Amino acid sequence: MARIAVIGAGMGALAAAARLAVAGHRVTVYERTETYGGGVRRFERDGFSFDTGPGLLTLPAVWRDLFVKTGKEPLEACVELVQVDPSARHVFADGTEAALPNASRAGVVSALDEALGSGAGGRWGDFLVRAREAWDRTRRPLLEEPLWRDWSVLADREPYPSVPHKRLLRTRRAGTLAEVGAWELRDPRLAALLESHALAYGLDPRVTPASAAVLPYMEHAFGMWSVRGGVRELARAVYERCLARRVAFVFGAEVTRIVEKDGRAAGVELGDGSVVEADFVVAPGAGGVAGVPPRGQGEVVPQRGLPSRLTVLLALRGGRPEATAHRTIVHTRDREGELEALFGTAPAQAAGPTVTVLRPEDPALVPDPAHEAVTLSVVVPAGTEPGTDLVEAVLSVAERALPGLRDRVLWREVRTPADIAEETGVEGGSVPAPTLAAAGGRLLHPANSTALPGLFTVGGWAHPGGGLPHAGMSGALVTGLVVEGPEFRGSQ
């Protein structure tokens, strides 16, 4: 039985803690705040309840596997999962709307043909076939196995099978997501649909590799799910599973340094100066903990400077109408302005950003049926201190999908990158993106093992990157590396 110190109580850390405890180790989690979940938090007021982090779940099988491997009660016995249908309603720049069925290729093709014109659905369906090929090529090395020592193979090879495109007597193949949209989808609305999956993770589609096609494929193939009571309920269930497996938690305990002895991690030093000995240390992939060695030459360099999120929580008069989509994406009318505002030096564009509107059908989130809880979210540069103008712009965009919105507002709560920074400890409130192949390794994340023996990293800033399913996967990978050693090659 080894003593294991886990720094932070984010979702990846919780997943690792539960699995390590089941493997027979004595696990203690040290969390600098007073609760668990990292960025998966909840805001409550006047009978309204909102998720302040992710509002939907993809790949629930990752968390089902955690509950199967750590106890007798399956995930569905601890939380209620509901498949969201439609997966999303899209409101495009020209006013066209399309509601896409959940996890149904034929349904999506039909819906796009009806909304955008004959042939649009077929082009999107053909794209999904190619995206599946990229998924099949990268699923194991990017999600289910520790990062390869020869990770440059993943960095140099583009797994997406681009269609040859003839232009000015030259044959080209799409290398970025934006080129896939322009050359293969050939409709600005389909391109906006594609690019929104990258933008949701703070990725610039103009430079994001075509391999990011796996992002819409994951949503299409595995569906979108809501959690009754909010995604925070998933965090609660994982935390309680940790307690049931006798994981110890120390809240309000900031780890300031990783202790090294005889060339390996030997414990942690807390803010009060006390030292806790450990045989292994599991740390977040980003944060202000001293003692995490810098990545050496030839290793993946940690990502920096990814955007953050601005979230507007709205308590509304009037109930949620029947047949309302859970998720609506209202696309910007100024694509170039939005991208320059996020990834360039331009100010926020006048036409407003792309806004995701969440309108869950969940009685647990409202005081009574005569009210509705709505969440608006946009991607913003890390460290942004949004002013009233930006919040009003977000509301104006949302009104394209929700007419009369302002007249229904009882109150609103604005959550900024500073709030994310406070909850996660990441400078500027940056939110990590999933790991992706190609692009010279720019969108890979550092391996879960480190140059310091006995020290491992977990969570969104380590392999395999950001997102709730990826956090769960990182916990499984760290457990395998601790239990089986460097020869661990992932689940079979």
Side-chain angles (χ1 to χ4, degrees):
M1 175 189 291
R3 301 163 299 175
I4 300 179
V6 177
I7 304 172
M11 295 298 286
L14 293 178
R19 289 177 180 272
L20 288 166
V22 168
H25 299 297
R26 189 164 74 245
V27 183
T28 302
V29 177
Y30 298 90
E31 167 58 44
R32 65 182 182 81
T33 71
E34 297 298 332
T35 189
Y36 53 85
V40 182
R41 301 292 181 96
R42 173 184 288 149
F43 179 84
E44 295 177 308
R45 174 181 165 187
D46 301 338
F48 292 88
S49 183
F50 304 86
D51 283 317
T52 60
L56 289 170
L57 180 65
T58 58
L59 275 176
V62 172
W63 298 100
R64 291 190 181 110
D65 181 72
L66 172 72
F67 277 75
V68 167
K69 300 289 177 57
T70 60
K72 295 180 180 179
E73 284 188 313
L75 175 63
E76 278 79 358
C78 302
V79 297
E80 182 181 355
L81 300 180
V82 180
Q83 196 165 22
V84 173
D85 204 9
S87 173
R89 168 190 171 213
H90 290 264
V91 179
F92 297 105
D94 65 354
T96 306
E97 297 187 16
L100 306 185
N102 202 341
S104 168
R105 182 178 182 275
V108 168
V109 168
S110 177
L112 288 174
D113 274 342
E114 182 178 350
L116 307 185
S118 178
R123 291 195 298 278
W124 184 259
D126 291 344
F127 158 74
L128 287 177
V129 172
R130 296 190 292 274
R132 177 179 179 175
E133 188 169 339
W135 168 260
D136 289 340
R137 291 174 177 176
T138 60
R139 175 178 58 86
R140 281 198 61 82
L142 289 187
L143 299 179
E144 298 176 359
E145 299 176 349
L147 187 66
W148 293 350
R149 290 185 181 275
D150 57 341
W151 59 266
S152 59
V153 174
L154 301 172
D156 297 336
R157 294 181 182 177
E158 172 54 73
Y160 177 78
S162 300
V163 176
H165 169 76
K166 289 188 177 180
R167 185 179 183 186
L168 298 177
L169 302 180
R170 294 179 58 190
T171 299
R172 302 182 180 183
R173 291 180 179 270
T176 68
L177 216 57
E179 290 173 344
V180 172
W183 299 352
E184 299 180 10
L185 299 178
R186 304 190 309 277
D187 184 311
R189 296 163 299 184
L190 290 178
L193 170 58
L194 172 62
E195 291 181 0
S196 67
H197 289 84
L199 194 63
Y201 286 105
L203 299 175
D204 184 348
R206 300 170 300 183
V207 297
T208 297
S211 66
V214 299
L215 300 178
Y217 175 76
M218 286 171 59
E219 179 178 320
H220 160 77
F222 306 108
M224 295 294 292
W225 301 76
S226 67
V227 181
R228 288 293 185 191
V231 175
R232 175 67 177 177
E233 286 298 292
L234 175 64
R236 174 199 56 77
V238 178
Y239 170 67
E240 291 180 353
R241 177 55 54 91
C242 286
L243 293 178
R245 301 283 77 82
R246 298 185 178 180
V247 174
F249 285 83
V250 183
F251 293 106
E254 183 173 8
V255 174
T256 57
R257 185 173 66 91
I258 294 169
V259 176
E260 181 180 343
K261 183 179 180 181
D262 298 329
R264 64 172 289 116
V268 296
E269 181 177 319
L270 304 180
D272 61 6
S274 61
V275 172
V276 179
E277 294 182 349
D279 301 298
F280 297 95
V281 176
V282 178
V289 180
V292 178
R295 300 292 166 168
Q297 186 177 4
E299 295 187 73
V300 173
V301 177
Q303 296 184 32
R304 292 289 185 266
L306 284 175
S308 186
R309 305 288 183 272
L310 170 70
T311 306
V312 183
L313 314 177
L314 300 174
L316 302 185
R317 305 179 186 89
R320 179 182 186 272
E322 291 187 14
T324 295
H326 185 118
R327 178 176 59 144
T328 297
I329 298 173
V330 188
H331 295 270
T332 182
R333 288 173 171 156
D334 182 7
R335 171 187 178 270
E336 291 302 319
E338 176 173 48
L339 296 181
E340 282 303 308
L342 280 172
F343 308 109
T345 57
Q349 74 283 12
T354 295
V355 177
T356 298
V357 183
L358 296 184
R359 304 179 70 183
E361 183 183 10
D362 190 342
L365 304 181
V366 291
D368 54 60
H371 293 87
E372 184 179 7
V374 171
T375 301
L376 313 178
S377 63
V378 298
V379 178
V380 296
T384 298
E385 289 298 331
T388 303
D389 289 348
L390 178 55
V391 175
E392 291 300 320
V394 170
L395 290 169
S396 295
V397 172
E399 284 190 307
R400 289 167 48 198
L402 214 165
L405 171 63
R406 281 184 170 84
D407 294 336
R408 295 179 57 195
V409 175
L410 282 170
W411 50 262
R412 71 191 190 196
E413 174 75 15
V414 178
R415 305 281 296 178
T416 72
D419 295 308
I420 297 176
E422 173 60 29
E423 293 168 353
T424 65
V426 178
E427 183 179 357
S430 288
V431 177
T435 192
L436 294 171
R442 178 172 51 85
L443 293 176
L444 295 175
H445 289 265
N448 307 105
S449 55
T450 72
L452 181 64
L455 174 64
F456 301 88
T457 57
V458 75
W461 297 99
H463 181 71
L468 276 174
H470 298 75
M473 294 173 192
S474 75
L477 291 173
V478 166
T479 301
L481 290 166
V482 171
V483 173
E484 299 185 26
E487 65 274 11
F488 174 67
R489 291 296 178 264
S491 59
Q492 301 299 320

